[in-house]
Amino acid sequence: MTFSEGTPSDLQTLSQDVWEEFLAAFPNQSDCMGEVTLEGDWNLEGSRGFYLPDETTVVLKIPATAAHLRHSLVHELAHHLEHACPDHPELRAAFLAAQSLPADTPWFEGPSWEETPSEQYAETVVRLVLGRPVWNYRLPLTPEAIGTVRDWGGGP
């Protein structure tokens, strides 16, 4: 993980710790992860963060609590895997089945944020990496979906 100019040192420290936890949860995907840049944004409105796939950059809203930053960073790193790992489409098919969703369900679209498979997947990654259920969202994550992502990642 690298940092854009001006990234606060406390965010860098927290992010390095999160990056190590993320790598430990996804050893099977270490070859495709590549480098990710983190950027803090003091003016971000309407979101806690987002991922720029063409730039392999995670942007997080700052300031924020350490818990929110950890959650948002893991969530956006999950989106990084969607774009960086060539076998992710295979995971998508298995994840949809584990969530009892039709195989032709659009991955990046849904009637709401909570009903978008890509977001359900990213919150599953948060649960695996941080070891706690997702909070503040009504996301239906099945034990089978959590197991599917864990198996794909190869982590504990």
Side-chain angles (χ1 to χ4, degrees), residues 9 23-24 35 37 42 50 53 66 77 80 94-95 108 117 121 143 156:
S9 61
L23 292 173
E35 188 173 286
T37 301
W42 293 90
F50 57 91
L77 289 172
H80 170 67
F95 185 85
F108 294 106
Y121 150 77

Side-chain angles (χ1 to χ4, degrees), residues 8-102:
S9 61
D10 58 340
L11 179 57
Q12 290 184 33
T13 301
L14 178 140
S15 300
Q16 286 290 6
D17 292 343
V18 170
W19 180 243
E20 292 301 319
E21 293 171 29
F22 188 80
L23 292 173
F26 290 93
N28 288 354
Q29 305 310 318
S30 61
D31 289 346
C32 62
M33 282 195 205
E35 188 173 286
V36 179
T37 301
L38 177 67
E39 177 180 323
D41 187 333
W42 293 90
N43 301 307
L44 187 61
E45 294 183 26
S47 175
R48 289 188 186 169
F50 57 91
Y51 177 67
L52 299 167
D54 291 339
E55 301 170 28
T56 63
T57 298
V58 170
V59 179
L60 296 182
K61 179 180 184 172
I62 53 174
T65 66
H68 282 158
L69 289 168
R70 291 173 62 79
H71 183 115
S72 297
L73 179 55
V74 172
H75 180 98
E76 300 309 330
L77 289 172
H79 290 312
H80 170 67
L81 289 182
E82 286 177 317
H83 296 279
C85 296
D87 66 343
H88 200 272
E90 295 167 19
L91 171 64
R92 293 176 192 178
F95 185 85
L96 291 173
Q99 284 286 84
S100 299
L101 295 170

